[in-house]
């Protein structure tokens, strides 16, 4: 049978829904704590590792600077040579240096802002999270919507004992992925998350 309030599949002899708390023997719905009122089990805050962020920022800045040098720098050099400047090739290198510095600092700033803003709070029945600094909205993920999960580590992350925890979730229109990047001690955290999800599933069966 299914709950008439939330649609959760329940045993035929159930008298109330173990998901929403709805009574199956009356038309009144038993109140259940909202996610933010539930007792928090633990939370995860992605780590801001300057060594990893710095390397990422360096290569990103190098790529942007190379493109800017070839395009804007070349154009500037041509314009200066037409205007009669003898040492016009300096514009070529100045353009690359300026774009490198700006891109590097901007990348680090955005990465730090996003890392500071992101927070993943785990309750007994679902996870509450903020996705990035520019969104600012609280989102919710019920454990029952998780189809699969995994933990991955990049070459740079392995050096700092960091990793990414990803959840493949079923949505109304399509499946989607919720990822927690740069988690400190990812194997231990992943086990805690999976244990919590398993406990929640056992409570709902």
């Amino acid at each position: 049978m299914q709950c008439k309030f939330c649609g959760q599949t329940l045993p035929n002899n159930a008298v109330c829904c173990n998901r929403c708390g709805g009574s199956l023997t009356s038309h009144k719905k038993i109140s259940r704590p909202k996610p933010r009122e539930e007792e928090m089990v633990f939370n995860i805050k992605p780590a801001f590792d300057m060594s990893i962020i710095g390397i990422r920022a360096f290569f990103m800045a190098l790529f942007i600077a190379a493109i800017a040098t070839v395009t804007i720098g070349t154009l500037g050099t041509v314009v200066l040579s037409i205007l009669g400047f003898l040492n016009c090739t300096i514009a070529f290198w100045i353009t690359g240096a300026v774009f490198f510095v700006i891109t590097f600092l901007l990348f680090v700033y955005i990465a730090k802002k996003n890392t500071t803003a992101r927070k993943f709070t785990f309750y007994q029945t679902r996870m509450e999270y903020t996705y990035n600094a520019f969104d600012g909205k609280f989102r919710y993920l019920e454990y029952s919507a998780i189809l699969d999960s995994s933990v991955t580590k990049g070459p740079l992350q392995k050096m700092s004992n960091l990793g990414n925890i990803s959840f493949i979730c079923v949505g109304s229109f399509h499946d989607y992925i919720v990822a927690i990047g740069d988690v400190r001690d990812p194997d231990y955290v992943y086990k805690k998350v999976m244990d919590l999800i398993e406990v929640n599933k056992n409570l709902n069966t």
Side-chain angles (χ1 to χ4, degrees):
M1 62 183 296
Q2 287 187 319
C3 175
K4 55 190 174 184
F5 298 107
C6 69
Q8 170 80 353
T9 302
L10 302 168
N12 291 330
N13 60 349
V15 294
C16 67
C17 179
N18 52 22
R19 180 183 182 187
C20 72
S23 173
L24 305 180
T25 58
S26 69
H27 295 290
K28 292 183 178 180
K29 185 175 179 179
I30 301 172
S31 62
R32 177 178 179 141
K34 296 179 181 179
R36 294 192 189 183
E37 295 173 350
E38 289 180 348
E39 184 178 352
M40 182 190 73
V41 181
F42 62 89
N43 60 50
I44 299 175
K45 197 84 173 78
F48 180 80
D49 191 301
M50 188 56 201
S51 60
I52 293 179
I53 298 298
I55 293 174
R56 292 173 181 169
F58 175 82
F59 284 105
M60 176 61 73
L62 197 64
F63 176 72
I64 298 297
I67 295 175
T69 302
V70 171
T71 55
I72 301 174
T74 301
L75 181 62
T77 301
V78 172
V79 171
L80 289 176
S81 62
I82 293 174
L83 295 176
F85 290 89
L86 297 177
N87 193 19
C88 56
T89 55
I90 193 171
F92 188 83
W93 301 110
I94 289 178
T95 301
V98 168
F99 270 86
F100 178 87
V101 172
I102 291 175
T103 304
F104 182 88
L105 294 177
L106 189 61
F107 186 97
V108 172
Y109 170 77
I110 292 175
K112 186 173 183 178
K113 191 173 180 64
N114 271 335
T115 303
T116 304
R118 298 191 78 190
K119 183 179 179 182
F120 300 80
T121 305
F122 290 83
Y123 298 92
Q124 193 65 45
T125 60
R126 66 177 78 187
M127 175 178 73
E128 177 185 270
Y129 63 98
T130 52
Y131 211 71
N132 57 55
F134 305 99
D135 186 359
K137 296 179 181 178
F138 280 103
R139 301 175 185 270
Y140 303 95
L141 172 62
E142 292 191 10
Y143 301 142
S144 57
I146 298 176
L147 299 176
D148 195 10
S149 59
S150 63
V151 56
T152 57
K153 305 173 190 175
L156 294 177
Q157 290 176 320
K158 289 180 180 179
M159 295 188 297
S160 299
N161 193 24
L162 298 177
N164 311 307
I165 299 176
S166 302
F167 304 101
I168 300 176
C169 311
V170 58
S172 302
F173 301 101
H174 58 82
D175 295 347
Y176 62 99
I177 297 176
V178 175
I180 311 176
D182 292 334
V183 178
R184 185 77 65 187
D185 198 1
D187 293 322
Y188 171 73
V189 174
Y190 181 70
K191 185 179 183 306
K192 283 183 64 176
V193 173
M194 296 312 297
D195 287 345
L196 177 60
I197 293 174
E198 189 63 31
V199 168
N200 181 77
K201 288 181 178 178
N202 291 336
L203 290 175
N204 289 330
T205 54

